[in-house]
Amino acid sequence: MDVASLQSFNPSPLLSSSNSVSIHRPAVILPGLGNNSGDYQSLKQTLNDKYGVSAVVAKVSRLDWLRNAAGLVDPNYWRGSLQPRPVLDWYLKRIEEAVEEAKGTANGSENVSLIGHSAGGWLARVYMEEFGSSDVSLLLTLGTPHLPPPKGVQGVIDQTRGLLHYVQDNCSKAVYTPQLKYVCVAGRFIKGCRFFGNSDTELAVSSVDSNQIVSESSVSGGTSAPNATTLRARFVGQGYKQVCGEADVWGDGVVPEVSAHLEGALNIFLDGVYHSPVGADDATRPWYGSPQVLEQWVQHLLN
């Protein structure tokens, strides 16, 4: 299927009352790097109460991520050819447990939807490859850096130490079929710019009040708003460059849009959407799970 890029959706309100039973296949929410299960409780509650989707959040704490340090003793880490197993077996086990829990809440459905936020999205692909995907109908990723950084670009270091190259080379390609659907959602919150170069490139945030930017810049840097916003765009751009090799691209503040899409998937970008629930604000800095943003992708869980 050709890749489809859609800016927004206006789904019909397929809602359920807060005291109704789940009427759709259950969903499993997979936390991103550095996040814990509690960061997704609001999203879980909204899915259940407003849309009738019973959701389970994989049990992950912030301290759990320190387990990844085990990779430091693997020579492949230093070669940049690290593989997900056994370093990330702990996370794959949490996915397996969450899937089993979700299936136990299913109302006649044998399949589940996986919602992977950030690294949780590509870890879901590893899970599906290693544990099988027969009980997964949908993989929906939110701000996931799917593509590995390009090799040979000056100043770019693969922060996953080869993990994303492994995923790209060894995991099944994205599809959009009646049996299994991949939906990749990317946010366009801020456009980065090169750290050295044309200083005329300024911070740009879609669908966000520009007064918010002035306020944030003034508080954090104590400098004039134009200089502060340009500096912020430069730092964000350096983060983007580590992910996709380019600084002057759009992204959600952490992951560039180009890296969050997969060939073969239904690819969506949403304006004004920030990367993480940590530091987000539903009114001024909404993230993928904020109610007004959720409205734009929830229909894929309801089909």
Side-chain angles (χ1 to χ4, degrees), residues 145-184:
H146 285 292
L147 305 182
K151 296 181 178 180
V153 177
Q154 185 177 6
V156 174
I157 300 173
D158 181 2
Q159 298 175 64
T160 71
R161 308 310 299 148
L163 289 172
L164 285 179
H165 284 284
Y166 178 92
V167 173
Q168 184 179 58
D169 294 341
N170 295 278
C171 290
S172 299
K173 304 306 179 185
V175 296
Y176 194 83
T177 67
Q179 295 75 32
L180 177 61
K181 295 178 173 63
Y182 283 64
V183 177
C184 302

Side-chain angles (χ1 to χ4, degrees), residues 19-286:
N19 58 358
S20 66
V21 296
S22 175
I23 59 174
H24 303 289
R25 65 177 175 267
V28 175
I29 301 171
L30 307 177
L33 179 65
N35 291 107
N36 66 18
S37 304
D39 296 333
Y40 303 89
Q41 290 306 307
S42 178
L43 171 59
K44 172 186 174 180
Q45 198 70 36
T46 303
L47 286 172
N48 184 74
D49 293 351
K50 188 174 182 180
Y51 297 101
V53 176
S54 177
V56 173
V57 184
K59 293 179 173 60
V60 176
S61 72
R62 297 197 206 285
L63 289 178
D64 278 329
W65 293 103
L66 296 178
R67 297 167 183 259
N68 294 359
L72 294 172
V73 301
D74 188 334
N76 289 311
Y77 177 93
W78 304 103
R79 299 189 190 109
S81 57
L82 190 64
Q83 298 185 12
R85 309 191 73 175
V87 176
L88 290 163
D89 277 353
W90 70 269
Y91 192 99
L92 300 178
K93 182 65 175 176
R94 303 296 173 83
I95 298 178
E96 183 183 36
E97 293 170 350
V99 168
E100 289 304 311
E101 182 181 348
K103 288 168 67 175
T105 67
N107 184 27
S109 174
E110 297 180 354
N111 291 352
V112 301
S113 300
L114 298 182
I115 305 172
H117 171 235
S118 196
W122 62 259
L123 282 162
R125 296 180 64 196
V126 176
Y127 167 81
M128 293 166 65
E129 194 68 30
E130 295 291 322
F131 292 75
S133 59
S134 60
D135 52 3
V136 177
S137 293
L138 169 71
L139 171 59
L140 189 148
T141 64
L142 306 171
T144 291
H146 285 292
L147 305 182
K151 296 181 178 180
V153 177
Q154 185 177 6
V156 174
I157 300 173
D158 181 2
Q159 298 175 64
T160 71
R161 308 310 299 148
L163 289 172
L164 285 179
H165 284 284
Y166 178 92
V167 173
Q168 184 179 58
D169 294 341
N170 295 278
C171 290
S172 299
K173 304 306 179 185
V175 296
Y176 194 83
T177 67
Q179 295 75 32
L180 177 61
K181 295 178 173 63
Y182 283 64
V183 177
C184 302
V185 184
R188 303 183 99 204
F189 183 75
I190 176 174
K191 184 177 182 181
C193 67
R194 294 184 296 275
F195 204 85
F196 299 104
N198 185 2
S199 61
D200 292 335
T201 304
E202 294 187 2
L203 176 71
V205 179
S206 299
S207 305
V208 176
D209 189 347
S210 61
N211 291 331
Q212 174 208 353
I213 304 304
V214 174
S215 175
E216 286 183 357
S217 302
S218 300
V219 171
S220 61
T223 57
S224 62
N227 289 338
T229 54
T230 300
L231 182 62
R232 182 181 175 191
R234 292 179 192 274
F235 276 107
V236 169
Q238 288 308 296
Y240 290 165
K241 183 177 179 180
Q242 297 304 311
V243 180
C244 72
E246 298 288 340
D248 48 351
V249 295
W250 277 97
D252 61 15
V254 175
V255 174
E257 177 187 355
V258 66
S259 298
H261 286 163
L262 279 173
E263 182 178 355
L266 174 65
N267 291 314
I268 302 165
F269 71 84
L270 299 177
D271 283 330
V273 178
Y274 179 64
H275 180 76
S276 176
V278 178
D281 180 274
D282 289 345
T284 59
R285 187 188 293 195

